[in-house]
Amino acid sequence: MTILAILIGLLISHYATGVRHFRRFEPLLAPARWAHRTWPQPSWLVMLVMILTCLLAAGLAEWVLVGLAGTLGWFVLALFVFIYCLGPRDLDKDVQLLLECGPDSADPEVARTLRSMRLQPDSDAQAASAAVHHAALSRWFGLFFWFVVLGIPGALLYRLVRAGLQGSFDAESSDWLARLRLVLDWPVLVLVVLSAGLCSDLDRVIDTWRDQPEGSMMWGVTPDLLDRVAGIALEPGASVSDGLASAHRLVWRMLILWLVVMSLILIAGWMV
């Protein structure tokens, strides 16, 4: 039922774009904010409260809905949480807007899209491609991975950590959240880089992975690696539009690969 929740959630989120207005994470961040105001130290307390909030919220909701409707109740809850945590912006819509209007457009919506993807109006093709890859990691692949591995608590925690890093806490507490985000992103980065190689040029991706600066941590699997991998498929002299379109096609192929692999695992009976 996990893969079914993901497929239905993707369809609903893509076509019913109004659901993005319901993605408000302040209620779930409220316990961490209260703990931070009450006990500013230790700085790791915010991270701990956020983890406990996800576990308690998911556990209570599952206990109620599974008790009322059994497996159907769990599926409805899982579907709701997946849609709630997906995004929060639609990557397809953002890329389409930038391709139609151009990153240097004066449209306020274009400016909001650039901020959400951490792009500048004068960014080059390499930066545009990397922005699409990073957006796909945070909006799609990270959520998919932790939703499959840890279920509803995993999806909530992955999204809340990123929401909490949007200027919600002081520097020390945010540093602990950034460490947790790096831990959560690390296995996803490995799979995303491998997926990029399988869906484009595996040899060049492996060479890029091996060509790491000396002293790189965690086998060189850092967000910087994704920046370098994102530029592999670009032709010399590619424009920003080429970078956006090329990366968008690639991340969609990667998404299909993930869905196929999860479906095969489901058929094999390894995932419920």
Side-chain angles (χ1 to χ4, degrees):
M1 298 185 75
T2 301
I3 184 65
L4 185 60
I6 290 175
L7 289 173
I8 296 176
L10 283 172
L11 290 174
I12 293 176
S13 182
H14 183 73
Y15 290 104
T17 55
V19 298
R20 70 181 186 276
H21 298 298
F22 297 98
R23 291 172 179 141
R24 297 291 182 266
F25 304 107
E26 289 302 318
L28 289 174
L29 288 173
R33 291 183 185 279
W34 173 81
H36 183 57
R37 289 194 302 268
T38 307
W39 301 288
Q41 295 296 329
S43 54
W44 48 261
L45 183 62
V46 167
M47 180 185 69
L48 178 61
V49 171
M50 195 173 291
I51 294 172
L52 293 175
T53 299
C54 295
L55 291 174
L56 291 174
L60 180 60
E62 287 189 50
W63 178 71
V64 171
L65 289 179
V66 172
L68 291 174
T71 303
L72 178 61
W74 179 90
F75 176 78
V76 172
L77 175 63
L79 178 60
F80 171 80
V81 170
F82 183 80
I83 295 173
Y84 175 66
C85 296
L86 191 63
R89 292 177 62 95
D90 188 290
L91 179 59
D92 297 328
K93 304 294 184 184
D94 283 354
V95 172
Q96 182 181 4
L97 178 67
L98 293 178
L99 289 176
E100 291 178 352
C101 300
D104 54 350
S105 171
D107 189 338
E109 185 59 31
V110 171
R112 285 191 289 270
T113 300
L114 290 173
R115 286 195 299 271
S116 73
M117 297 183 68
R118 298 183 180 180
L119 273 174
Q120 300 295 327
D122 58 349
S123 296
D124 57 13
Q126 169 77 22
S129 178
V132 174
H133 281 75
H134 282 286
L137 182 142
S138 64
R139 301 182 191 186
W140 294 351
F141 299 116
L143 178 65
F144 291 1
F145 180 86
W146 291 109
F147 181 66
V148 171
V149 172
L150 294 181
I152 294 170
L156 287 174
L157 180 61
Y158 185 81
R159 187 54 62 212
L160 276 192
V161 168
R162 287 188 169 268
L165 283 169
Q166 304 301 314
S168 301
F169 303 100
D170 62 23
E172 292 183 353
S173 299
S174 295
D175 183 60
W176 278 99
L177 291 179
R179 295 180 191 181
L180 179 57
R181 182 189 65 180
L182 184 59
V183 171
L184 293 174
D185 275 345
W186 188 85
V188 187
L189 275 168
V190 173
L191 294 176
V192 166
V193 171
L194 290 175
S195 302
L198 292 172
C199 294
S200 58
D201 191 329
L202 183 58
D203 290 335
R204 293 180 65 186
V205 169
I206 292 176
D207 290 341
T208 301
W209 196 333
R210 289 173 176 170
D211 186 21
Q212 297 291 331
E214 292 186 7
S216 295
M217 301 296 292
M218 297 190 302
W219 302 315
V221 184
T222 64
D224 291 340
L225 174 61
L226 192 58
D227 291 337
R228 295 192 296 274
V229 168
I232 287 177
L234 294 177
E235 298 292 336
S239 65
V240 173
S241 296
D242 294 334
L244 290 169
S246 175
H248 189 228
R249 289 192 297 268
L250 178 57
V251 296
W252 257 104
R253 292 197 297 270
M254 293 158 58
L255 175 62
I256 293 172
L257 175 63
W258 278 47
L259 294 175
V260 169
V261 171
M262 283 192 290
S263 300
L264 292 175
I265 294 175
L266 177 64
I267 293 172
W270 295 346
M271 182 171 62
V272 295

